[in-house]
Amino acid sequence: MSLRDSDDLDGASSPTIEDEDEDGSRNPSDSSSPAPAPSVAAAPARRWRDVFWLLVFVLHLLLVGSALVLLGLNRFRKADRLNIDRFTNITIGGGAAAAPREAEVVAPPQREQGPSGELTETFWPFYGAAAGVGAAIAGAWLALLGRRAGQMMKVSVHSLTTYLAVISVLCFWGKHFFWGVAFAVGALLQFLYVMSVLDRFPFTMLVLQKAVKMVWGLPDVMRVAYAFILIMLCWMVLWSFGVAGIVALSMHDSGRWWLLVVFSVSLFWTGAVLCNTVHVIVSGMVFLVLIHGGQRATSMPPKPVLKSLQYAVTTSFGSICYGSLFTAAIRTLRWEIRGIRSKIGNNECLLCCVDFLFHLVETLVRFFNKYAYVQIAVNGKSFNRSARDAWELFQSTGIEALIAYDCSGAVLLMGTILGGLLTGTCTGVWAWFKRSDKVLMVGCTAALMGMILVGLAVVVVESAVTSIYICYAEDPTLIQSWDTEFFNQMSEALHQRLQYRSARAREGDPVWAIKQSTISDLLGLSLNFFFILPLMNSVGIHVIEAPVLHPVAEGLFNFVIGWTFLFAPLLFTDRRRDRYKGSLDLLWGCQMFLTNVSPQQEVVHPQRRRRRFHCWRH
């Protein structure tokens, strides 16, 4: 079903497309009826989707909220008010019955952290400051969106690596080696990613500037973002109350960290749900503006934002809860792999290994991608079906090549992380002067709060970007009528990306035309089988010198061989293995051969894409 078919419907609701979702046919009266009439008749047709995940999320809120209240009240104005320390002392003692004398030795330090010293209100102000700083950064981001958006995004990209490195040095200086290494690795990955996609930033900034132009002209969208930031702050009041009680608990640091991880995951999911709810609302509004040719068009339905909000928090809320669990992690992994893949060059063996991981992630992206939220806003489908339909639309039109080239999501994520780090740093500095032994706990959880609040501001731009791509794939004339210059720039970029992919697409060399470099790499990987030859060289046995190869290629090569060996017990213990003579040798040989095969790079019908592209141009 074409999204364009919802042109004459009440936009954000557009639920009439649900008719096709259920029985595969369209109501023929949709195209002939006046605009308001189908909207009213179609509204009840939208059904509740992914209800199971809606119930899971609501149950999660109830359980987590109750636990937070209990943990916060336990040390509010009175230590161990609810006698919870009797359970935490079990985890602290861990073997007290077996070694009573040892328990007596460690008892004094535990009393030093015990009930008499720390209360919830000792740490709650830190989180209040974190919420205030995070909200201020989010508000400033939205306020400067229309004036300094380009500069803000450039600062985010180029400052994040330096900021991570500085925090890493401070962690080493404070003798927190684990966190120092973690931030150092983060800084290195950030630097490598930026360097690998540096040539894509001009097009990325162009798309982001046009998205900012779109949302800045929709004041209702900005009000929605501010409203959801306020809702998130209300939940954070309760969350920080309970987390402050956890930090004040009389238990070992490892137990506190585990509790903080659990409640941080809960906060992340809750924040992701609110961000994606804003995503659905804004996507529906942007889609309406592009369909009707402007917010002030006479064909625009009344109160479109309220209608979109209604569906986002009712029938489509289960789909939002479901998608919020997995989408962020998969997107981040995909960005990193794509950045590495673009800089491999002509190393075919390494390209083969990275392509294997790339296609695995692409399979996940097919069912979990952010473009599903536009389909949810417009059609009211379930999350998986929306994600699949959006991805198939991109694949069939060739727009996927342009989306792969665009780094707008990664740039916005960098801004979100930088906002969270600033929040965590401000809170951590205050905690350092007040309670230096708890600075890491307070700083990390405060950084998460800041990331979520800034993410609620950033998501309005990301929603506009996804809606622009969906509309361009569905009907490029929508973009052309909105901004002709931008349409020409996107069309030119798409043409270049399709040419690039066509140039890289190949059928694979025949046996008699394999390149010498490929043969050398394959022989080298075979000689380094399970690193036996390098280990022999390292102890002084130099019958054959081990070739020097890329460590990632060697690691994945040996991983696949190890995976093949896992089949050995099943094959050799099969009582009927003699029933098919030679089958074991054939299977083993094929699996071993797969480790030396460089798969074709798959490009879906580049000629058909180009033909459709030229049709759009004319």
Side-chain angles (χ1 to χ4, degrees):
M1 177 68 174
S2 170
L3 294 180
R4 182 70 174 174
D5 294 335
S6 63
D7 186 4
D8 52 342
L9 302 181
D10 97 3
S13 63
S14 301
T16 53
I17 303 178
E18 197 66 40
D19 297 339
E20 181 191 2
D21 185 32
E22 297 302 319
D23 55 25
S25 61
R26 191 195 315 177
N27 188 345
S29 63
D30 287 351
S31 59
S32 58
S33 300
S39 173
V40 176
R46 177 170 282 203
R47 299 186 180 182
W48 290 75
R49 300 293 182 183
D50 297 312
V51 178
F52 172 76
W53 293 103
L54 170 60
L55 296 176
V56 169
F57 180 73
V58 172
L59 181 62
H60 143 265
L61 287 182
L62 294 175
L63 293 177
V64 170
S66 302
L68 289 170
V69 170
L70 291 176
L71 290 169
L73 287 177
N74 183 56
R75 287 185 169 269
F76 184 68
R77 296 186 177 180
K78 178 182 178 182
D80 200 21
R81 179 190 299 271
L82 304 178
N83 199 20
I84 293 180
D85 282 356
R86 58 178 176 173
F87 301 106
T88 61
N89 287 333
I90 296 176
T91 61
I92 297 170
R101 292 182 181 179
E102 294 181 8
E104 293 175 3
V105 174
V106 295
Q110 295 300 332
R111 283 194 298 268
E112 192 174 340
Q113 300 177 357
S116 59
E118 299 177 0
L119 300 174
T120 298
E121 54 265 33
T122 305
F123 301 99
W124 203 13
F126 296 139
Y127 292 108
V133 173
I137 295 175
W141 204 97
L142 286 173
L144 296 174
L145 189 59
R147 303 181 185 89
R148 296 286 185 268
Q151 291 83 343
M152 291 166 58
M153 292 169 188
K154 290 178 182 177
V155 168
S156 300
V157 171
H158 298 297
S159 302
L160 183 57
T161 303
T162 305
Y163 204 84
L164 287 169
V166 170
I167 294 178
S168 173
V169 172
L170 292 176
C171 289
F172 282 122
W173 177 70
K175 298 182 180 180
H176 301 293
F177 295 104
F178 171 79
W179 291 101
V181 171
F183 282 111
V185 171
L188 178 62
L189 291 176
Q190 163 70 7
F191 175 76
L192 293 175
Y193 176 77
V194 170
M195 295 304 297
S196 65
V197 299
L198 204 58
D199 57 325
R200 305 182 188 182
F201 280 155
F203 176 75
T204 298
M205 289 303 172
L206 171 67
V207 175
L208 288 173
Q209 287 170 1
K210 296 302 179 180
V212 168
K213 172 187 172 183
M214 169 66 73
V215 298
W216 190 250
L218 302 173
D220 290 342
V221 164
M222 311 302 290
R223 296 189 191 101
V224 167
Y226 283 118
F228 272 80
I229 290 175
L230 182 61
I231 293 172
M232 190 71 244
L233 284 173
C234 293
W235 176 254
M236 283 182 174
V237 170
L238 175 61
W239 186 84
S240 60
F241 179 71
V243 167
I246 292 174
V247 177
L249 276 177
S250 175
M251 65 187 305
H252 196 268
D253 279 352
S254 61
R256 277 195 287 260
W257 274 112
W258 278 112
L259 285 174
L260 290 176
V261 167
V262 171
F263 286 102
S264 295
V265 170
S266 168
L267 181 65
F268 180 83
W269 188 21
T270 305
V273 168
L274 290 183
C275 285
N276 291 326
T277 303
V278 176
H279 196 151
V280 170
I281 297 169
V282 177
S283 297
M285 185 64 185
V286 171
F287 185 84
L288 269 181
V289 170
L290 292 174
I291 283 288
H292 293 277
Q295 186 180 11
R296 300 184 182 280
T298 56
S299 57
M300 279 285 288
K303 300 181 180 179
V305 173
L306 292 179
K307 204 69 174 178
S308 186
L309 174 63
Q310 174 188 344
Y311 286 115
V313 299
T314 54
T315 55
S316 298
F317 195 65
S319 300
I320 295 171
C321 297
Y322 175 45
S324 301
L325 271 176
F326 310 104
T327 307
I330 294 173
R331 284 169 55 199
T332 304
L333 180 61
R334 184 169 179 252
W335 290 331
E336 292 293 341
I337 292 177
R338 275 198 160 151
I340 296 172
R341 187 171 179 258
S342 64
K343 294 299 178 182
I344 288 177
N346 296 323
N347 189 327
E348 295 190 10
C349 287
L350 184 56
L351 181 63
C352 169
C353 299
V354 175
D355 273 350
F356 171 72
L357 296 176
F358 177 75
H359 289 302
L360 286 179
V361 175
E362 287 293 296
T363 302
L364 294 175
V365 170
R366 182 181 178 86
F367 297 98
F368 297 97
N369 60 72
K370 61 183 180 181
Y371 303 95
Y373 297 114
V374 184
Q375 296 274 356
I376 290 172
V378 177
N379 296 331
K381 299 177 182 178
S382 64
F383 182 84
N384 282 144
R385 179 160 184 175
S386 297
R388 186 177 67 249
D389 289 350
W391 204 246
E392 288 176 355
L393 175 65
F394 293 145
Q395 291 282 347
S396 63
T397 57
I399 306 300
E400 190 270 336
L402 199 59
I403 291 173
Y405 187 69
D406 179 23
C407 302
S408 57
V411 171
L412 294 173
L413 178 62
M414 293 175 197
T416 302
I417 294 175
L418 183 61
L421 290 176
L422 288 171
T423 303
T425 303
C426 294
T427 309
V429 168
W430 185 21
W432 175 265
F433 290 105
K434 296 293 185 178
R435 294 299 307 268
S436 59
D437 57 328
K438 299 295 191 301
V439 64
L440 276 178
M441 290 184 183
V442 174
C444 290
T445 47
L448 177 61
M449 294 172 63
M451 284 180 59
I452 293 173
L453 291 171
V454 176
L456 282 167
V458 169
V459 74
V460 296
V461 178
E462 189 172 20
S463 304
V465 172
T466 56
S467 300
I468 287 172
Y469 278 119
I470 287 285
C471 290
Y472 186 69
E474 182 64 34
D475 187 356
T477 60
L478 297 175
I479 305 298
Q480 186 177 24
S481 60
W482 172 58
D483 192 323
T484 304
E485 182 183 359
F486 180 49
F487 167 78
N488 293 332
Q489 292 170 324
M490 286 191 71
S491 299
E492 184 61 32
L494 176 60
H495 183 58
Q496 293 175 0
R497 296 311 301 168
L498 292 178
Q499 283 187 327
Y500 173 76
R501 286 202 170 187
S502 298
R504 291 189 61 180
R506 55 186 174 82
E507 293 298 328
D509 297 326
V511 175
W512 59 85
I514 296 178
K515 298 177 183 178
Q516 183 59 41
S517 60
T518 303
I519 296 176
S520 300
D521 286 341
L522 295 179
L523 289 176
L525 288 171
S526 300
L527 287 174
N528 288 356
F529 173 78
F530 275 174
F531 304 106
I532 295 175
L533 189 57
L535 290 174
M536 292 175 61
N537 291 166
S538 65
V539 297
I541 303 175
H542 295 278
V543 179
I544 301 177
E545 293 296 328
V548 179
L549 301 168
H550 198 289
V552 176
E554 284 191 291
L556 291 176
F557 178 85
N558 286 286
F559 169 77
V560 175
I561 292 179
W563 174 80
T564 301
F565 280 142
L566 292 177
F567 287 85
L570 295 175
L571 293 172
F572 281 109
T573 56
D574 183 12
R575 296 181 179 178
R576 298 184 179 180
R577 65 181 181 275
D578 295 331
R579 183 175 178 180
Y580 303 102
K581 300 292 183 181
S583 60
L584 176 61
D585 300 331
L586 178 63
L587 176 62
W588 205 284
C590 289
Q591 288 189 335
M592 288 296 184
F593 179 73
L594 285 175
T595 63
N596 294 329
V597 174
S598 179
Q600 306 178 62
Q601 189 150 6
E602 185 176 346
V603 177
V604 181
H605 305 299
Q607 298 297 332
R608 176 164 58 86
R609 289 176 174 178
R610 194 175 292 109
R611 285 197 301 270
R612 180 162 181 170
F613 169 76
H614 285 305
C615 291
W616 290 349
R617 291 291 297 270
H618 297 294

